[in-house]
């Protein structure tokens, strides 16, 4: 296997093809200092941008979902469903911003997001809050304690289609989680521990077990879970009694599944997935992450700032609307051949090909 061991001076060699020995990458202090100094004026979230973007995306998504259900023309219904998927996907990804926001700077946004989208999509924000922050931990990123990391590039080829299949089945899993297991778990402490530990987080690491929430977060969790359970039970009951036509129910579930699959594809290229469980420096975490800064398509499959995912790992508290300007400043200041440039990739297809090729090597080995 072609493996590079990098230090701060040759870190830019992380470019685009060979596996990186991430545990050997020292911190590039010049890049970290530039990232902090050049973005100090970009740290404050803009309420109008957040609310306008989210509400607009949700409104378009729900209107298009109604079109997919109600339009008599099959062609227009399919086109409307595709629009619903893209718009609701964008609106859903504000869950990522919620995990990083200082809520005092954007009052009411978490509640509004959950009421208007998180609960109807059966994706309340507690499923991600507390999970994602561990992924950003200096000492836990890429280790067995990281709920959002698996060394996918070092696993067998069959893991990738299974990874996508699981996401396609997610709406069924969410219905069972909130409509069946959640309510039943209130009657059994043992089942409750399993539901909280295994089925209450958007995680990909099967070894991770979540702890029960405490304090204010426990109160947030409680009302969100109650809301999602009431919605799931109502949805199943109205469909079973014919109040909601089966076709409409299946279209809704199909849209949720498509949103999950697109997000899972994005997850596959959010990192290089090449760490074998060792703690990494901030620079190594950055180099194991991905920016796809150019082109139109990343606006669709990695919206709400996620096309700058590596930059986000450098500056996790930076609002999504500030990431393009932060990227422009850092690219100009650090220049070609810098460590910063080493995390920039041109296309989704190239990243998927790299990941698939790496898994094929594992089969050969």
């Amino acid at each position: 296997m072609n493996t590079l061991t990098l230090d701060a001076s040759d870190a830019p060699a992380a470019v685009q093809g060979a596996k990186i020995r991430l545990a050997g990458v020292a911190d590039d202090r010049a890049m970290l200092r530039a990232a902090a100094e050049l973005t100090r004026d970009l740290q404050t979230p803009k309420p109008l941008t957040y609310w306008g973007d989210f509400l607009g995306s949700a409104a378009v998504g729900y209107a298009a979902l109604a079109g997919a259900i109600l339009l008599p023309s099959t062609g227009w219904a399919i086109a409307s469903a595709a629009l619903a998927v893209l718009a609701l996907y964008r609106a859903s990804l504000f869950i990522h911003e919620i995990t990083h926001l200082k809520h005092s700077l954007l009052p009411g946004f978490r509640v509004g997001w959950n009421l208007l989208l998180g609960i109807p999509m059966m994706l309340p924000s507690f499923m991600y809050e507390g999970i994602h922050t561990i992924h950003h931990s200096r000492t836990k990123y890429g280790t067995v304690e990281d709920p959002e990391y698996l060394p996918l590039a070092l696993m067998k080829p069959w893991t990738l289609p299974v990874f996508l299949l699981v996401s396609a089945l997610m709406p069924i899993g969410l219905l069972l989680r909130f409509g069946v297991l959640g309510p039943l778990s209130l009657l059994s402490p043992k089942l409750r521990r399993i539901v909280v530990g295994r089925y209450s987080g958007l995680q990909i690491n099967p070894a991770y077990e979540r702890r029960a929430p405490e304090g204010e977060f426990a109160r947030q969790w409680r009302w969100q879970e109650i809301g999602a359970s009431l919605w799931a039970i109502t949805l199943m009951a109205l469909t079973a009694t014919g109040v909601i036509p089966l076709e409409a129910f299946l279209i809704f579930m199909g849209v949720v599944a498509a949103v999950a699959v697109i997000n899972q594809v994005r997850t596959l290229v959010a990192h290089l997935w090449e760490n074998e469980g060792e703690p990494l420096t901030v620079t190594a975490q950055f180099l194991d992450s991905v920016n796809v800064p150019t082109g139109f398509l990343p606006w669709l499959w990695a919206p709400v700032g996620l096309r700058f995912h590596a930059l986000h790992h450098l500056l996790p508290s930076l609002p999504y609307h500030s990431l393009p300007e932060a990227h422009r400043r850092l690219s100009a200041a650090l220049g070609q051949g810098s460590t910063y440039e080493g995390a920039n990739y041109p296309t989704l297809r190239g990243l998927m090909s790299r990941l698939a090729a790496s898994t094929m090597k594992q089969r050969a080995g």
Side-chain angles (χ1 to χ4, degrees):
M1 182 178 293
N2 190 5
T3 303
L4 299 178
T5 302
L6 307 180
D7 58 28
S9 62
D10 64 8
V15 190
Q16 333 278 354
K19 182 182 179 297
I20 309 164
R21 177 69 173 131
L22 294 164
V25 179
D27 268 326
D28 184 334
R29 299 192 181 280
M31 180 182 69
L32 300 182
R33 184 167 56 251
E37 293 176 352
L38 293 174
T39 62
R40 285 175 180 164
D41 62 326
L42 301 177
Q43 296 289 333
T44 304
K46 299 176 181 178
L48 187 61
T49 299
Y50 271 82
W51 281 107
D53 194 342
F54 164 61
L55 292 175
S57 298
V60 170
Y62 285 136
L65 176 60
I69 294 170
L70 300 174
L71 286 172
S73 166
T74 301
W76 283 110
I78 292 173
S80 194
L83 178 60
V85 169
L86 291 175
L88 291 175
Y89 173 52
R90 183 178 184 89
S92 297
L93 283 182
F94 278 91
I95 194 174
H96 179 256
E97 290 296 300
I98 288 171
T99 66
H100 291 287
L101 279 172
K102 289 184 177 180
H103 297 288
S104 60
L105 298 178
L106 206 63
F109 189 80
R110 175 167 57 185
V111 173
W113 184 90
N114 277 289
L115 291 176
L116 295 173
L117 192 122
I119 288 173
M121 293 283 285
M122 296 177 290
L123 286 172
S125 63
F126 80 79
M127 297 280 284
Y128 206 47
E129 292 184 87
I131 293 284
H132 188 61
T133 50
I134 297 173
H135 178 59
H136 281 274
S137 168
R138 167 71 181 267
T139 58
K140 294 181 179 179
Y141 172 93
T143 71
V144 70
E145 297 181 77
D146 185 344
E148 292 187 51
Y149 198 96
L150 284 174
L152 292 169
L154 310 179
M155 299 173 77
K156 299 297 184 181
W158 59 264
T159 58
L160 299 185
V162 169
F163 195 69
L164 294 175
L165 177 62
V166 168
S167 67
L169 297 175
M170 190 179 77
I172 298 173
L174 291 173
L175 268 183
L176 292 174
R177 161 64 179 85
F178 289 109
V180 179
L181 293 178
L184 287 179
S185 72
L186 299 179
L187 306 176
S188 167
K190 181 179 180 180
L191 178 59
R192 185 63 185 170
R193 285 193 297 272
I194 296 172
V195 169
V196 170
R198 296 293 185 182
Y199 306 119
S200 295
L202 298 177
Q203 60 209 55
I204 65 172
N205 179 0
Y208 178 77
E209 185 169 349
R210 190 169 198 181
R211 296 179 181 177
E214 299 177 349
E216 172 58 25
F217 184 51
R219 289 186 283 274
Q220 290 287 333
W221 180 312
R222 188 178 305 115
W223 76 260
Q224 292 172 27
E225 182 169 11
I226 290 171
S229 290
L230 289 175
W231 168 258
I233 292 168
T234 301
L235 187 62
M236 290 190 293
L238 293 180
T239 303
T241 57
V243 176
I244 295 177
L246 180 60
E247 182 181 1
F249 171 77
L250 292 177
I251 290 172
F252 169 71
M253 294 289 281
V255 167
V256 175
V259 168
V261 169
I262 293 176
N263 186 61
Q264 200 80 322
V265 171
R266 179 198 62 79
T267 299
L268 283 174
V269 298
H271 298 286
L272 300 183
W273 308 108
E274 294 179 350
N275 187 45
E276 300 182 71
E278 300 166 283
L280 302 177
T281 63
V282 174
T283 299
Q285 293 178 25
F286 170 79
L287 289 171
D288 190 40
S289 305
V290 168
N291 290 332
V292 187
T294 59
F296 172 72
L297 288 179
W299 286 85
L300 299 180
W301 61 262
V304 195
L306 287 171
R307 62 195 181 99
F308 298 107
H309 195 70
L311 175 57
H312 169 68
H313 270 265
L314 276 187
L315 300 163
S317 63
L318 203 64
Y320 81 100
H321 54 69
S322 295
L323 289 170
E325 175 60 18
H327 174 73
R328 186 194 67 77
R329 293 181 186 181
L330 285 169
S331 296
L334 298 173
Q336 293 186 352
S338 65
T339 303
Y340 185 77
E341 187 185 39
N344 295 334
Y345 293 81
T347 64
L348 169 69
R349 183 176 61 182
L351 288 161
M352 289 293 288
S353 296
R354 173 188 174 126
L355 180 60
S358 181
T359 62
M360 293 302 290
K361 289 180 182 178
Q362 308 312 310
R363 182 179 70 173

